[in-house]
Amino acid sequence: MLLERVLEGRPHGVRPETAARWDVLCALTGLPPLALFTLAEAPERPGSAGLPTRLDGYISTLCSELDCHPVRTHATLVVQMLLEGVLNVDPETGEGPDRAGRELTVRLLERHGPHVQVVADAVRRLTEEPRWHETEHDERWLQRIAGQLPQLGAALALRAVHRAARAAGDGPQDLDELASHLYAARRAGADGDSLCVPLRSWAARERTGHRVLSVLTAYRRTWEAYTGADRARQERLDLELALARGRDPGVWQQYRDHAIRQLTAERTGFEQGIRELRHKQQMAEQEIARLRSLGAGSFPARS
C-alpha cells in the first residue's frame, strides 16, 4: 500500500533509467505507467539529451528489467499495461498516440522477443478504434509498423478504410474510392463485421439508406471488375449480412427500406415499359394483318 501511494504521484525530473523502473513497478501494481510521459515532456535544455536518446536509455533499462528474474514471469503483463497507457485514443478529440508512444512501440519491435505479439495485438486494437483521427505522423508510423509486423496487413488496410470513410462524401469519385478501400481490406483478410464499422459511421452522417446502397453498388462493381459477377454478388451479400447483424440496426433498416423503394420504383417502370411494348406489339400485328389483307387480287388488272 505504501508503494502504491508513492507510485500514484507522477514522478518529476526522472532519468530514463529511473523512469523505466518506475513504470515497471506501476504496471506490476496495477497502476498506469506515467513516467514515460514525464520523460517525453521534459523541456529540451541546451546540452541535454533529446527525446530519441532518452528513449534509448528508457528502452534499454525496460528490456533489462523485463528479463530479470523477479519480473520475467510478468513481462507480458508489464508490456500490456505500458502499451495500454501509450496506445490509446482521446474520445473527445480523436487524438491518438504521441511521439513517445509511437517511438516506444517501434523500439520494442526492434528488440525481438515474446513481447512482439503483445505489441502487435495492441496496435491492432488501436487500428480498430473508429474515433481515431490519424495525423501524417501516425500514418508514417503505421507504415513503419507494417514493415515489422506483416500480420497486421488486414488491420492496416482496414485503417485505410476508416480514413477514406472520414474524408468521403457521396459523389461518384468518393464512392468509387471508398469501395476500392473496402475491396482492398477484404482481400487483405478483413471480415465483414470489421468493414461495417467505418461504413456505418460514414453512412450515418446523412441520407443513410442512399449512401449504403450507392457504396454497396460500387463495391459490387469493384469486385466484378476483378473476379466476375458471381464472386461480386457473394461479397456484396456478405457485407449486407454483416450490416444486418450489427449492433446498430438503424443503418441496416434504412438501407433495406431505401433499396426496396428503389427496386419498387424500378419494377413499376419495367411494368410500364412492358405495357408500352405490348401495345406496340399489338399495333405491329394489326399493321401486318392489314397489309396481308391487301392481296394482289384486290386491285384491278392493267390493260
Side-chain angles (χ1 to χ4, degrees), residues 50-70:
L51 179 59
T53 302
R54 295 198 298 271
L55 279 175
D56 285 339
Y58 180 96
I59 293 292
S60 179
T61 303
L62 174 66
C63 291
S64 297
E65 293 293 318
L66 293 177
D67 197 44
C68 72
H69 178 67

PDB file of all heavy atoms in Angstrom, residues 50-70:
ATOM      1  N   GLY A  50      18.268  14.681 -26.330  1.00  0.00           N
ATOM      2  CA  GLY A  50      16.953  14.798 -26.936  1.00  0.00           C
ATOM      3  C   GLY A  50      16.112  13.570 -26.647  1.00  0.00           C
ATOM      4  O   GLY A  50      16.570  12.598 -26.037  1.00  0.00           O
ATOM      5  N   LEU A  51      14.848  13.602 -27.116  1.00  0.00           N
ATOM      6  CA  LEU A  51      13.936  12.501 -26.840  1.00  0.00           C
ATOM      7  C   LEU A  51      14.450  11.157 -27.372  1.00  0.00           C
ATOM      8  O   LEU A  51      14.359  10.149 -26.649  1.00  0.00           O
ATOM      9  CB  LEU A  51      12.553  12.809 -27.430  1.00  0.00           C
ATOM     10  CG  LEU A  51      11.496  11.716 -27.244  1.00  0.00           C
ATOM     11  CD1 LEU A  51      11.275  11.414 -25.766  1.00  0.00           C
ATOM     12  CD2 LEU A  51      10.185  12.110 -27.923  1.00  0.00           C
ATOM     13  N   PRO A  52      14.987  11.062 -28.591  1.00  0.00           N
ATOM     14  CA  PRO A  52      15.484   9.758 -29.041  1.00  0.00           C
ATOM     15  C   PRO A  52      16.526   9.150 -28.111  1.00  0.00           C
ATOM     16  O   PRO A  52      16.484   7.952 -27.832  1.00  0.00           O
ATOM     17  CB  PRO A  52      16.076  10.064 -30.426  1.00  0.00           C
ATOM     18  CG  PRO A  52      15.330  11.267 -30.891  1.00  0.00           C
ATOM     19  CD  PRO A  52      15.101  12.080 -29.653  1.00  0.00           C
ATOM     20  N   THR A  53      17.431   9.986 -27.610  1.00  0.00           N
ATOM     21  CA  THR A  53      18.464   9.482 -26.691  1.00  0.00           C
ATOM     22  C   THR A  53      17.844   9.052 -25.380  1.00  0.00           C
ATOM     23  O   THR A  53      18.209   8.010 -24.810  1.00  0.00           O
ATOM     24  CB  THR A  53      19.529  10.560 -26.444  1.00  0.00           C
ATOM     25  OG1 THR A  53      20.103  10.942 -27.697  1.00  0.00           O
ATOM     26  CG2 THR A  53      20.627  10.037 -25.523  1.00  0.00           C
ATOM     27  N   ARG A  54      16.886   9.851 -24.876  1.00  0.00           N
ATOM     28  CA  ARG A  54      16.228   9.482 -23.626  1.00  0.00           C
ATOM     29  C   ARG A  54      15.444   8.183 -23.784  1.00  0.00           C
ATOM     30  O   ARG A  54      15.432   7.333 -22.887  1.00  0.00           O
ATOM     31  CB  ARG A  54      15.296  10.616 -23.167  1.00  0.00           C
ATOM     32  CG  ARG A  54      16.021  11.897 -22.797  1.00  0.00           C
ATOM     33  CD  ARG A  54      15.149  12.812 -21.942  1.00  0.00           C
ATOM     34  NE  ARG A  54      13.945  13.263 -22.622  1.00  0.00           N
ATOM     35  CZ  ARG A  54      13.867  14.361 -23.367  1.00  0.00           C
ATOM     36  NH1 ARG A  54      14.954  15.121 -23.540  1.00  0.00           N
ATOM     37  NH2 ARG A  54      12.734  14.710 -23.933  1.00  0.00           N
ATOM     38  N   LEU A  55      14.804   8.023 -24.955  1.00  0.00           N
ATOM     39  CA  LEU A  55      14.071   6.784 -25.191  1.00  0.00           C
ATOM     40  C   LEU A  55      14.997   5.581 -25.279  1.00  0.00           C
ATOM     41  O   LEU A  55      14.644   4.477 -24.841  1.00  0.00           O
ATOM     42  CB  LEU A  55      13.252   6.897 -26.475  1.00  0.00           C
ATOM     43  CG  LEU A  55      11.923   7.630 -26.371  1.00  0.00           C
ATOM     44  CD1 LEU A  55      11.285   7.762 -27.746  1.00  0.00           C
ATOM     45  CD2 LEU A  55      10.966   6.906 -25.433  1.00  0.00           C
ATOM     46  N   ASP A  56      16.186   5.779 -25.865  1.00  0.00           N
ATOM     47  CA  ASP A  56      17.159   4.683 -25.913  1.00  0.00           C
ATOM     48  C   ASP A  56      17.466   4.191 -24.503  1.00  0.00           C
ATOM     49  O   ASP A  56      17.495   2.983 -24.239  1.00  0.00           O
ATOM     50  CB  ASP A  56      18.448   5.153 -26.598  1.00  0.00           C
ATOM     51  CG  ASP A  56      18.284   5.279 -28.103  1.00  0.00           C
ATOM     52  OD1 ASP A  56      17.351   4.652 -28.652  1.00  0.00           O
ATOM     53  OD2 ASP A  56      19.080   5.999 -28.728  1.00  0.00           O
ATOM     54  N   GLY A  57      17.719   5.144 -23.595  1.00  0.00           N
ATOM     55  CA  GLY A  57      18.009   4.763 -22.211  1.00  0.00           C
ATOM     56  C   GLY A  57      16.821   4.100 -21.544  1.00  0.00           C
ATOM     57  O   GLY A  57      16.971   3.122 -20.795  1.00  0.00           O
ATOM     58  N   TYR A  58      15.627   4.620 -21.822  1.00  0.00           N
ATOM     59  CA  TYR A  58      14.398   4.062 -21.234  1.00  0.00           C
ATOM     60  C   TYR A  58      14.184   2.625 -21.714  1.00  0.00           C
ATOM     61  O   TYR A  58      13.959   1.708 -20.906  1.00  0.00           O
ATOM     62  CB  TYR A  58      13.215   4.946 -21.607  1.00  0.00           C
ATOM     63  CG  TYR A  58      11.879   4.475 -21.069  1.00  0.00           C
ATOM     64  CD1 TYR A  58      11.372   4.995 -19.891  1.00  0.00           C
ATOM     65  CD2 TYR A  58      11.111   3.530 -21.761  1.00  0.00           C
ATOM     66  CE1 TYR A  58      10.132   4.587 -19.398  1.00  0.00           C
ATOM     67  CE2 TYR A  58       9.888   3.108 -21.274  1.00  0.00           C
ATOM     68  CZ  TYR A  58       9.397   3.647 -20.098  1.00  0.00           C
ATOM     69  OH  TYR A  58       8.184   3.216 -19.620  1.00  0.00           O
ATOM     70  N   ILE A  59      14.276   2.411 -23.029  1.00  0.00           N
ATOM     71  CA  ILE A  59      14.020   1.087 -23.593  1.00  0.00           C
ATOM     72  C   ILE A  59      15.075   0.092 -23.132  1.00  0.00           C
ATOM     73  O   ILE A  59      14.766  -1.067 -22.810  1.00  0.00           O
ATOM     74  CB  ILE A  59      13.989   1.150 -25.127  1.00  0.00           C
ATOM     75  CG1 ILE A  59      12.781   1.946 -25.593  1.00  0.00           C
ATOM     76  CG2 ILE A  59      13.960  -0.238 -25.731  1.00  0.00           C
ATOM     77  CD1 ILE A  59      11.468   1.280 -25.313  1.00  0.00           C
ATOM     78  N   SER A  60      16.331   0.518 -23.114  1.00  0.00           N
ATOM     79  CA  SER A  60      17.400  -0.383 -22.683  1.00  0.00           C
ATOM     80  C   SER A  60      17.156  -0.867 -21.258  1.00  0.00           C
ATOM     81  O   SER A  60      17.257  -2.065 -20.968  1.00  0.00           O
ATOM     82  CB  SER A  60      18.746   0.343 -22.788  1.00  0.00           C
ATOM     83  OG  SER A  60      19.787  -0.504 -22.356  1.00  0.00           O
ATOM     84  N   THR A  61      16.808   0.059 -20.364  1.00  0.00           N
ATOM     85  CA  THR A  61      16.543  -0.325 -18.978  1.00  0.00           C
ATOM     86  C   THR A  61      15.276  -1.157 -18.875  1.00  0.00           C
ATOM     87  O   THR A  61      15.220  -2.141 -18.124  1.00  0.00           O
ATOM     88  CB  THR A  61      16.408   0.929 -18.091  1.00  0.00           C
ATOM     89  OG1 THR A  61      17.595   1.696 -18.202  1.00  0.00           O
ATOM     90  CG2 THR A  61      16.180   0.554 -16.642  1.00  0.00           C
ATOM     91  N   LEU A  62      14.243  -0.792 -19.629  1.00  0.00           N
ATOM     92  CA  LEU A  62      12.985  -1.546 -19.596  1.00  0.00           C
ATOM     93  C   LEU A  62      13.211  -2.999 -19.983  1.00  0.00           C
ATOM     94  O   LEU A  62      12.743  -3.918 -19.298  1.00  0.00           O
ATOM     95  CB  LEU A  62      11.974  -0.894 -20.534  1.00  0.00           C
ATOM     96  CG  LEU A  62      10.650  -1.636 -20.715  1.00  0.00           C
ATOM     97  CD1 LEU A  62       9.860  -1.643 -19.416  1.00  0.00           C
ATOM     98  CD2 LEU A  62       9.829  -1.002 -21.843  1.00  0.00           C
ATOM     99  N   CYS A  63      13.932  -3.225 -21.077  1.00  0.00           N
ATOM    100  CA  CYS A  63      14.169  -4.596 -21.535  1.00  0.00           C
ATOM    101  C   CYS A  63      15.004  -5.377 -20.516  1.00  0.00           C
ATOM    102  O   CYS A  63      14.786  -6.578 -20.307  1.00  0.00           O
ATOM    103  CB  CYS A  63      14.839  -4.588 -22.900  1.00  0.00           C
ATOM    104  SG  CYS A  63      13.761  -4.010 -24.228  1.00  0.00           S
ATOM    105  N   SER A  64      15.949  -4.709 -19.880  1.00  0.00           N
ATOM    106  CA  SER A  64      16.746  -5.373 -18.837  1.00  0.00           C
ATOM    107  C   SER A  64      15.864  -5.768 -17.663  1.00  0.00           C
ATOM    108  O   SER A  64      15.997  -6.868 -17.109  1.00  0.00           O
ATOM    109  CB  SER A  64      17.868  -4.449 -18.365  1.00  0.00           C
ATOM    110  OG  SER A  64      18.764  -4.173 -19.425  1.00  0.00           O
ATOM    111  N   GLU A  65      14.953  -4.871 -17.286  1.00  0.00           N
ATOM    112  CA  GLU A  65      14.051  -5.165 -16.168  1.00  0.00           C
ATOM    113  C   GLU A  65      13.112  -6.317 -16.519  1.00  0.00           C
ATOM    114  O   GLU A  65      12.821  -7.168 -15.676  1.00  0.00           O
ATOM    115  CB  GLU A  65      13.232  -3.910 -15.814  1.00  0.00           C
ATOM    116  CG  GLU A  65      14.043  -2.774 -15.240  1.00  0.00           C
ATOM    117  CD  GLU A  65      14.606  -3.114 -13.863  1.00  0.00           C
ATOM    118  OE1 GLU A  65      13.874  -3.717 -13.043  1.00  0.00           O
ATOM    119  OE2 GLU A  65      15.778  -2.796 -13.613  1.00  0.00           O
ATOM    120  N   LEU A  66      12.626  -6.333 -17.748  1.00  0.00           N
ATOM    121  CA  LEU A  66      11.716  -7.396 -18.154  1.00  0.00           C
ATOM    122  C   LEU A  66      12.405  -8.751 -18.152  1.00  0.00           C
ATOM    123  O   LEU A  66      11.744  -9.795 -18.003  1.00  0.00           O
ATOM    124  CB  LEU A  66      11.164  -7.108 -19.562  1.00  0.00           C
ATOM    125  CG  LEU A  66      10.247  -5.892 -19.717  1.00  0.00           C
ATOM    126  CD1 LEU A  66       9.865  -5.712 -21.183  1.00  0.00           C
ATOM    127  CD2 LEU A  66       8.996  -6.027 -18.862  1.00  0.00           C
ATOM    128  N   ASP A  67      13.710  -8.762 -18.328  1.00  0.00           N
ATOM    129  CA  ASP A  67      14.451 -10.020 -18.418  1.00  0.00           C
ATOM    130  C   ASP A  67      14.998 -10.490 -17.073  1.00  0.00           C
ATOM    131  O   ASP A  67      15.515 -11.593 -16.971  1.00  0.00           O
ATOM    132  CB  ASP A  67      15.607  -9.866 -19.413  1.00  0.00           C
ATOM    133  CG  ASP A  67      16.151 -11.217 -19.857  1.00  0.00           C
ATOM    134  OD1 ASP A  67      15.331 -12.117 -20.158  1.00  0.00           O
ATOM    135  OD2 ASP A  67      17.380 -11.378 -19.878  1.00  0.00           O
ATOM    136  N   CYS A  68      14.867  -9.637 -16.064  1.00  0.00           N
ATOM    137  CA  CYS A  68      15.407 -10.050 -14.763  1.00  0.00           C
ATOM    138  C   CYS A  68      14.447 -11.032 -14.100  1.00  0.00           C
ATOM    139  O   CYS A  68      13.251 -11.053 -14.375  1.00  0.00           O
ATOM    140  CB  CYS A  68      15.681  -8.835 -13.870  1.00  0.00           C
ATOM    141  SG  CYS A  68      14.212  -8.047 -13.235  1.00  0.00           S
ATOM    142  N   HIS A  69      14.966 -11.819 -13.176  1.00  0.00           N
ATOM    143  CA  HIS A  69      14.206 -12.944 -12.615  1.00  0.00           C
ATOM    144  C   HIS A  69      12.888 -12.541 -11.949  1.00  0.00           C
ATOM    145  O   HIS A  69      11.854 -13.157 -12.211  1.00  0.00           O
ATOM    146  CB  HIS A  69      15.084 -13.723 -11.629  1.00  0.00           C
ATOM    147  CG  HIS A  69      14.355 -14.868 -10.984  1.00  0.00           C
ATOM    148  ND1 HIS A  69      13.931 -15.970 -11.699  1.00  0.00           N
ATOM    149  CD2 HIS A  69      13.941 -15.052  -9.692  1.00  0.00           C
ATOM    150  CE1 HIS A  69      13.300 -16.793 -10.875  1.00  0.00           C
ATOM    151  NE2 HIS A  69      13.300 -16.255  -9.661  1.00  0.00           N
ATOM    152  N   PRO A  70      12.837 -11.526 -11.094  1.00  0.00           N
ATOM    153  CA  PRO A  70      11.566 -11.220 -10.419  1.00  0.00           C
ATOM    154  C   PRO A  70      10.458 -10.772 -11.366  1.00  0.00           C
ATOM    155  O   PRO A  70       9.281 -10.933 -11.070  1.00  0.00           O
ATOM    156  CB  PRO A  70      11.938 -10.084  -9.444  1.00  0.00           C
ATOM    157  CG  PRO A  70      13.415 -10.148  -9.318  1.00  0.00           C
ATOM    158  CD  PRO A  70      13.908 -10.630 -10.642  1.00  0.00           C
TER     159      PRO A  70
END
